[in-house]
Amino acid sequence: MVDDEESSSKSVRRLAFSQRLSRWDVKVSPYLYISPFFLLFALTGLFPLLYTGWVSLHNWNLIGGQCKFIGLENFGFVLGQPYFWNAVGNTLSIFLLSSVPQVVLALLIAAVLDANLRAKTFWRMGVLVPFVVAPVAVGLIFNNLFADQFGLVNEFLGLLGLDPVRWHSDQLASHFAIATMVNFRWIGYNALIFLAAMQAIPRDVFEAATIDGAGRVRQFLSVTVPMLRPTVIFVAITSTIGGLQIFDEPRVFDQSGLGGADRQWQTLTMYIWELGWGQRNFGRASAVAWLLFLMIVLIALVNFLLTRRIANQGGRK
Amino acid sequence: MKFPRKLAALSASAACLTLALSGCGADAPKAAPSAETGKEPVTLTLATFNEFGYESLLKEYESLNPNVKIQHKKAATTNEARDNLTTRLAAGSGLSDIEAIEVDWLSELKQYPDQFVDLLDPAVEGRWLDWKTEAATTQDGHLIGYGTDSGPEAVCYNSALFKAAGLPTDRESVAQMLGTTWDSYFDAGKKFVAAKTGAAWFDSAGAIYQGMSNQLEKAYENEDGTVIAAENPAVKDVYTKVLNASTKDNLSAHLAQWSNDWVAGFQSQKFATTLCPGWMLGVIEGNATGVKGWDVANVFPGGGGNWGGSYLTVPAQGKHQAEAKKLAAWLTAPEQQIKAFTAKGTFPSQVKALDSEALLGQTNKFFNNAPTGKIFAERAKAVGATPFKGPKFFAINDAMQQALTRVDVDKKDDAESSWAKFLTAVKSL
Amino acid sequence: MSSIPMIRQTAGKGAAKAAARRPNPRAGRPRNRGGAGDIRRPGPLTYGALGAVLLASLFPLYWSFLVGSHDSTALSRGIPLLPGGNFLANAAKVFDSIPFWKAMGNSILVSTVTSASVVIFSTLAGFAFAKLRFRGSKGLLVFVIATMAVPTQLGVVPLFIVMAKLGWTGSLWAVIIPGVVTAFGVFWMTQYLRDALPDELIEAVRMDGASMIQAFWYVGFPAARPAAAMLALFTFVATWTNFFWPFIVLDPSNPTLPVALQLLQAAHFVDYSVVLAGAVLATIPLLLLFIAAGRQLVSGIMQGAVKG
């Protein structure tokens, strides 16, 4: 009797142990799997974020490192600067001029690439080539195109009988030129992201739609786009976050890298660079960086809600 | 949102620890006691940018001092080298044993003399032109760097355009005509423009301003650090003069220097003269390939001017300060600078080098075989006192250049409104 | 649309059977109605539009090659549309002036290690966020996305300080470690796995007694393959072309390619023909990668659609 009870209790215990192990596996594994990211982020993301927050509350020169605690004075000062608001406006303008065409054109290109083309690899990899062109080459080409007096675009406009556009003096024109540079680089990239998602849509759905009598455009709007909703949201968020931090393209747009004599195309990240590395005022640069961070979070959130709404409506037709 | 609390605590303490160790009023690295340069093997790192012409010199030094190995780190453009230097100074580590710097960075780096070893040494006294050493000496007499090359300026002109305008074309007559003051330079320009060749006199207001403002004794700041840019009548004076010449007298071609349009302007022959330091000759030759007629006149309005030039510094972070100082002194000796000059055309700033045969005999084929060595040697000697440059010089000068560009190149503002914007920018610094 | 439940079925294990059951697409359908499921080849208009896009995409690379095959006067005098014969001479100059092969080796090492680790860690994290239920998963995912909003200019000085304290300045570790897992990668894999990996599959394999990590390895990772391949490609290219941080933290004696190429611009008058020749040479390995990976990617993507 005792043996039976002992052995049964032993086996119960053994079962409990492996069960516990499995339960522990289920509970802990998720945290384990996401920990590499968070560990790394703590080092390379959180620490800089906190450090910069700390710096922004002080009077801090980049080399000298003076530390006089001045609280939110840097923030107050920066918010009162016309150049700050100018940079905000420029950033938003360039962002809108680049993100919207990017997403729309990337979708269209992906739709075309999705078709049954000959030499698929060539077309699909071809659109990614702009992503690998060296920035120095991109800078040279676009400066040649958009130079005010001797640029190719202005020459072309002259042939058409139009006035030359002052790409480096006129604020909106400069935004347009820079947005073109940005779009050039990222449209193919986003197109491939959409393409991957489109390819995951089973063909049967389109069969059904065709049988229901929907034409190509209708299918695109009513089938493809709604099915791509998560991807569209993904691209919208990532291109928002990236688009509000545009730095390389406006920097190569002219020789001084400050954003134009009247700051016509100075984005917020360029303003941070000017304050921090140009004027060596690390405190103010950090304040602007934190403001930019908050702005990005806010706008990405808005974008997320907006995109979800739009993509939803497309599906309900 | 539950962020692992332990992790937050860990990172916060790490941050505090790091902050305590770096920056924030921490002591600057102490200069090592001047140790004797012994015979133990040592590896020195030397960081330069652009073209210093040191390649064969370093090998020579290594053979003269077998215990020393030199690692030459060639950085990229000046702007990037400056960013790199700034980041590593801010982080407190990572600099080479010898760091090359540009003259434009001095006004700021002189604020932190503790970061650099004092290189003052009776052995090198009088080696350089006065204005060269003055620029690198702090008010306490702390010498931050040994001068390497310099950029004495002359006036380069396009004789073909001069001919088309009926003006003299040989160097001596041109120098006579241009005169020794800015007024005479502008007057010659008015004569040129009146002949309506389709070209302008100079490339941009910004370029001329650079030459003129470098001759002001005190431009933007006082020695005690107060900013006087707004009230200094000399600054407003130069500003108005330059813009009048550019816009009212139409002497400017409205091409911002280094821009695409400026490069193309050489080919289209859009301007007849430009202020040129020695290192600019190569640039003009490259941009104006195929254009015939460029020449150099041995004159500079206002007497003399200098644009550019570098120094070798020994950061106090370094571990081999005595050896580094010895190497820097050797590299910047007149004999070595001449060798560098022969290799890469870096114009010397050492007094003895200016009298050397190799230098004085140099001519430039593209510029009509002008005796450029002789010309620039004389121009170097003609440079007056260095203007005082305070810590905010860089930033204020940038703001000024932007103000000029707004009027001259962008044509968005007139002189008055652009000046108002300049004042706002200066106030915000 | 009512096709949604159908998708649930067709994207799972049943998809292969469904594909076999699929009727001949050409039978019994009006001629001129074609959708994306149309096997019929697209017409000349499509190819024309695509051709224009490709022309714009490839032109800058071709232009770089053009300038690189002339000499230093190319940019100022205007370049003809045909290449000159100077490319090899310029390439030789590139090899002489900078440690090109060392930089290439470094770039290959850094890019490969980084993309491999990004794929592994991102898929792992994506698997957790997408398929596993745990407390705080929603909030943590939002946090991950928010980390993308931290401007990089912000991080340069503190990150450099960290690297200096660890003694890694000048070493390739300083470039690899910060890139070992990215928020973009985690976000991308999460979003992909949500739809592409059916819960039933995981449950089935768990019931067979697999541990979490086995579930991930045998089910999650294969399902993520198409997206993982895409992520690997993107990460490789992005790491290869990254200039700023390697420039700050590495030494010119141990550079990656973009840093080494920048050295070609160190002169008062920049010979852009040599610079662009260098740029073209640096792009060739990526183009080779495109060709090799492209075929894999295309077939991989298609498989993903059918097998799920």
Side-chain angles (χ1 to χ4, degrees):
Chain A
M1 274 301 179
V2 178
D3 276 327
D4 267 342
E5 281 180 355
E6 272 187 15
S7 59
S8 58
S9 62
K10 258 201 222 132
S11 48
V12 167
R13 232 182 291 138
R14 238 179 262 132
L15 205 66
F17 179 68
S18 68
Q19 248 183 11
R20 231 187 298 144
L21 200 67
S22 153
R23 258 211 308 233
W24 185 82
D25 187 25
V26 174
K27 246 198 170 161
V28 171
S29 300
Y31 294 105
L32 217 66
Y33 295 171
I34 64 175
S35 59
F37 173 78
F38 284 104
L39 282 174
L40 191 74
F41 176 70
L43 194 71
T44 62
L46 190 69
F47 172 60
L49 198 62
L50 294 176
Y51 182 91
T52 323
W54 176 255
V55 170
S56 71
L57 298 173
H58 292 75
N59 210 346
W60 193 312
N61 179 289
L62 195 54
I63 301 182
Q66 298 145 298
C67 257
K68 200 173 75 155
F69 184 81
I70 54 174
L72 295 176
E73 205 182 292
N74 277 330
F75 288 93
F77 178 87
V78 155
L79 286 171
Q81 286 295 302
Y83 280 151
F84 173 76
W85 295 106
N86 177 52
V88 171
N90 289 342
T91 308
L92 288 175
S93 165
I94 297 180
F95 162 64
L96 286 172
L97 280 176
S98 56
S99 297
V100 174
Q102 250 182 65
V103 175
V104 171
L105 286 175
L107 262 176
L108 292 176
I109 294 178
V112 176
L113 288 175
D114 192 26
N116 196 0
L117 301 161
R118 290 188 201 281
K120 284 196 195 68
T121 316
F122 170 70
W123 298 111
R124 289 174 180 176
M125 288 296 114
V127 297
L128 195 60
V129 169
F131 194 58
V132 305
V133 177
V136 60
V138 175
L140 281 175
I141 295 174
F142 280 88
N143 270 312
N144 258 309
L145 285 176
F146 288 110
D148 282 23
Q149 293 195 25
F150 298 103
L152 288 173
V153 174
N154 276 346
E155 275 188 32
F156 182 68
L157 290 176
L159 286 177
L160 294 177
L162 299 165
D163 283 327
V165 179
R166 320 217 60 210
W167 301 105
H168 286 79
S169 321
D170 196 23
Q171 194 160 16
L172 202 61
S174 70
H175 294 178
F176 185 78
I178 293 174
T180 313
M181 285 170 83
V182 175
N183 288 341
F184 168 75
R185 192 173 144 82
W186 292 98
I187 284 183
Y189 182 91
N190 287 320
L192 284 188
I193 293 182
F194 282 132
L195 181 66
M198 275 181 194
Q199 299 262 301
I201 304 176
R203 305 288 114 168
D204 302 44
V205 186
F206 293 108
E207 296 291 328
T210 314
I211 292 172
D212 283 348
R216 230 202 274 208
V217 177
R218 186 80 198 290
Q219 282 190 18
F220 179 70
L221 289 175
S222 310
V223 179
T224 318
V225 174
M227 296 232 63
L228 287 182
R229 186 156 70 91
T231 314
V232 173
I233 292 178
F234 173 78
V235 170
I237 294 181
T238 50
S239 61
T240 300
I241 295 180
L244 291 170
Q245 295 183 54
I246 290 181
F247 183 72
D248 296 323
E249 282 82 7
R251 213 148 176 245
V252 298
F253 195 53
D254 83 342
Q255 61 280 6
S256 62
L258 273 176
D262 210 10
R263 318 295 173 91
Q264 294 98 317
W265 63 86
Q266 187 186 53
T267 59
L268 273 172
T269 39
M270 290 172 78
Y271 188 53
I272 294 174
W273 193 255
E274 180 194 337
L275 287 177
W277 272 257
Q279 291 179 23
R280 313 298 179 111
N281 196 328
F282 205 23
R284 285 185 199 156
S286 307
V288 177
W290 258 90
L291 289 171
L292 175 63
F293 171 64
L294 295 172
M295 198 174 112
I296 293 177
V297 172
L298 197 72
I299 295 185
L301 198 67
V302 168
N303 211 342
F304 167 69
L305 295 170
L306 218 69
T307 322
R308 202 165 61 161
R309 201 116 196 275
I310 294 177
N312 251 343
Q313 284 181 344
R316 245 176 271 130
K317 268 198 211 116
Chain B
M1 192 173 89
K2 286 161 66 181
F3 190 69
R5 273 195 213 109
K6 230 191 207 164
L7 212 53
L10 201 69
S11 36
S13 51
C16 289
L17 189 70
T18 321
L19 285 169
L21 294 174
S22 70
C24 209
D27 298 311
K30 300 214 171 47
S34 39
E36 288 144 31
T37 57
K39 290 297 172 194
E40 316 92 48
V42 65
T43 308
L44 293 177
T45 44
L46 162 71
T48 64
F49 47 84
N50 262 337
E51 303 269 25
F52 272 66
Y54 282 169
E55 280 72 33
S56 54
L57 286 177
L58 297 180
K59 289 207 188 70
E60 197 184 321
Y61 189 81
E62 279 178 342
S63 60
L64 288 175
N65 298 273
N67 60 319
V68 175
K69 277 215 79 55
I70 306 176
Q71 251 186 29
H72 186 191
K73 301 180 176 187
K74 246 175 92 168
T77 60
T78 17
N79 277 337
E80 278 139 12
R82 181 170 177 257
D83 288 341
N84 210 337
L85 181 76
T86 313
T87 314
R88 288 170 188 231
L89 277 174
S93 79
L95 290 173
S96 304
D97 291 309
I98 298 181
E99 286 276 342
I101 61 170
E102 266 280 309
V103 62
D104 290 334
W105 312 349
L106 275 174
S107 58
E108 200 178 12
L109 295 177
K110 280 203 284 192
Q111 300 299 111
Y112 312 105
D114 303 326
Q115 296 274 359
F116 299 98
V117 173
D118 187 352
L119 297 176
L120 206 57
D121 197 320
V124 297
E125 212 170 295
R127 178 185 277 187
W128 296 276
L129 297 162
D130 286 335
W131 52 265
K132 184 80 179 168
T133 7
E134 245 180 76
T137 316
T138 68
Q139 281 167 347
D140 303 321
H142 183 128
L143 180 66
I144 295 197
Y146 287 151
T148 59
D149 62 340
S150 65
E153 291 176 279
V155 176
C156 293
Y157 64 96
N158 185 334
S159 60
L161 285 177
F162 273 34
K163 191 148 171 235
L167 297 173
T169 54
D170 65 288
R171 267 169 247 125
E172 287 74 34
S173 329
V174 168
Q176 282 270 345
M177 175 184 72
L178 293 178
T180 51
T181 66
W182 288 103
D183 286 326
S184 55
Y185 175 71
F186 291 145
D187 284 336
K190 287 187 207 150
K191 252 196 277 174
F192 174 83
V193 173
K196 292 206 198 300
T197 54
W201 185 233
F202 52 75
D203 41 359
S204 68
I208 301 299
Y209 176 85
Q210 207 272 343
M212 289 179 85
S213 67
N214 247 355
Q215 292 168 342
L216 293 175
E217 216 184 276
K218 220 188 311 184
Y220 307 130
E221 295 142 297
N222 269 330
E223 276 88 352
D224 59 9
T226 48
V227 175
I228 52 169
E231 302 90 40
N232 192 350
V235 173
K236 185 86 200 281
D237 209 36
V238 174
Y239 175 81
T240 324
K241 238 192 180 157
V242 167
L243 283 181
N244 278 344
S246 306
T247 48
K248 294 217 183 83
D249 301 328
N250 271 320
L251 298 182
S252 165
H254 314 295
L255 300 169
Q257 282 191 324
W258 311 110
S259 71
N260 237 69
D261 285 335
W262 181 75
V263 172
F266 278 99
Q267 288 291 323
S268 327
Q269 303 197 54
K270 284 284 176 188
F271 48 91
T273 66
T274 184
L275 305 175
C276 52
W279 50 264
M280 182 74 101
L281 295 184
V283 176
I284 298 179
E285 184 175 342
N287 288 344
T289 320
V291 174
K292 294 211 199 332
W294 279 93
D295 204 338
V296 188
N298 190 355
V299 73
F300 191 75
N306 178 71
W307 183 8
S310 313
Y311 296 80
L312 292 182
T313 66
V314 177
Q317 283 177 14
K319 305 267 188 315
H320 312 289
Q321 289 169 14
E323 285 284 352
K325 185 172 167 192
K326 185 162 158 244
L327 175 60
W330 186 83
L331 281 173
T332 54
E335 305 78 36
Q336 270 69 261
Q337 192 68 46
I338 289 291
K339 288 186 201 145
F341 170 71
T342 327
K344 288 290 182 191
T346 48
F347 200 84
S349 57
Q350 293 84 351
V351 176
K352 282 216 197 85
L354 294 178
D355 294 324
S356 86
E357 289 291 321
L359 186 78
L360 294 176
Q362 193 216 26
T363 59
N364 189 311
K365 194 158 152 250
F366 181 78
F367 283 87
N368 197 19
N369 288 316
T372 44
K374 198 155 133 307
I375 293 179
F376 286 111
E378 281 175 33
R379 291 293 103 228
K381 293 192 185 138
V383 176
T386 329
F388 174 75
K389 294 184 183 174
K392 300 206 174 134
F393 177 82
F394 220 43
I396 301 180
N397 201 43
D398 272 347
M400 173 54 89
Q401 285 288 342
Q402 286 170 9
L404 292 167
T405 310
R406 282 195 291 267
V407 181
D408 183 41
V409 179
D410 291 349
K411 305 208 179 99
K412 287 190 83 186
D413 281 316
D414 62 6
E416 279 312 308
S417 55
S418 198
W419 178 259
K421 285 190 190 165
F422 168 71
L423 294 179
T424 335
V426 171
K427 239 190 287 190
S428 80
L429 288 173
Chain C
M1 289 204 73
S2 57
S3 321
I4 308 262
M6 187 174 108
I7 294 155
R8 282 270 144 88
Q9 289 174 9
T10 51
K13 258 191 172 166
K17 290 199 218 130
R21 265 189 277 116
R22 211 179 282 146
N24 185 340
R26 286 187 175 238
R29 216 188 39 196
R31 273 231 137 192
N32 290 328
R33 303 295 189 96
D38 195 358
I39 311 282
R40 195 182 61 198
R41 300 281 186 189
L45 201 65
T46 315
Y47 279 106
L50 212 52
V53 169
L54 257 289
L55 198 69
S57 301
L58 296 175
F59 183 70
L61 193 61
Y62 178 63
W63 190 86
S64 308
F65 174 69
L66 267 186
V67 176
S69 62
H70 284 87
D71 59 18
S72 59
T73 65
L75 271 187
S76 39
R77 298 185 86 173
I79 321 127
L81 283 176
L82 293 170
N86 216 20
F87 190 78
L88 290 175
N90 279 338
K93 270 195 220 153
V94 170
F95 296 142
D96 279 337
S97 333
I98 60 176
F100 185 81
W101 298 108
K102 178 151 201 219
M104 168 96 70
N106 284 344
S107 280
I108 292 180
L109 182 69
V110 171
S111 299
T112 315
V113 171
T114 308
S115 34
S117 77
V118 164
V119 165
I120 293 178
F121 289 125
S122 300
T123 315
L124 207 56
F127 179 73
F129 277 121
K131 291 292 154 186
L132 305 179
R133 275 173 239 296
F134 56 101
R135 254 222 312 237
S137 71
K138 264 218 164 93
L140 285 173
L141 183 61
V142 170
F143 189 82
V144 168
I145 300 173
T147 65
M148 286 199 276
V150 177
T152 37
Q153 285 77 18
L154 200 41
V156 169
V157 174
L159 197 57
F160 190 87
I161 294 177
V162 170
M163 291 300 154
K165 293 273 181 275
L166 291 170
W168 280 347
T169 51
S171 135
L172 289 179
W173 285 116
V175 179
I176 295 178
I177 295 295
V180 130
V181 51
T182 61
F184 177 84
V186 173
F187 189 16
W188 168 243
M189 293 314 286
T190 307
Q191 176 258 318
Y192 184 81
L193 280 173
R194 256 202 198 126
D195 291 330
L197 183 57
D199 295 320
E200 302 89 49
L201 238 73
I202 304 177
E203 265 150 54
V205 88
R206 291 270 302 153
M207 277 204 273
D208 285 348
S211 70
M212 225 21 131
I213 195 72
Q214 285 174 325
F216 167 74
W217 190 251
Y218 290 115
V219 178
F221 206 71
R225 199 151 58 88
M230 194 72 104
L231 182 64
L233 181 68
F234 281 173
T235 311
F236 191 93
V237 173
T239 317
W240 185 277
T241 53
N242 191 20
F243 170 75
F244 190 61
W245 173 243
F247 169 73
I248 294 278
V249 81
L250 291 178
D251 291 328
S253 54
N254 192 29
T256 54
L257 264 184
V259 179
L261 286 179
Q262 190 69 6
L263 291 177
L264 291 173
Q265 294 188 51
H268 286 298
F269 178 70
V270 181
D271 186 353
Y272 280 110
S273 67
V274 177
V275 172
L276 288 178
V280 170
L281 289 171
T283 319
I284 290 178
L286 290 177
L287 296 177
L288 292 173
L289 181 69
F290 277 10
I291 297 175
R295 261 186 230 126
Q296 283 285 339
L297 231 59
V298 170
S299 61
I301 291 173
M302 288 306 290
Q303 271 178 343
V306 175
K307 271 211 247 159

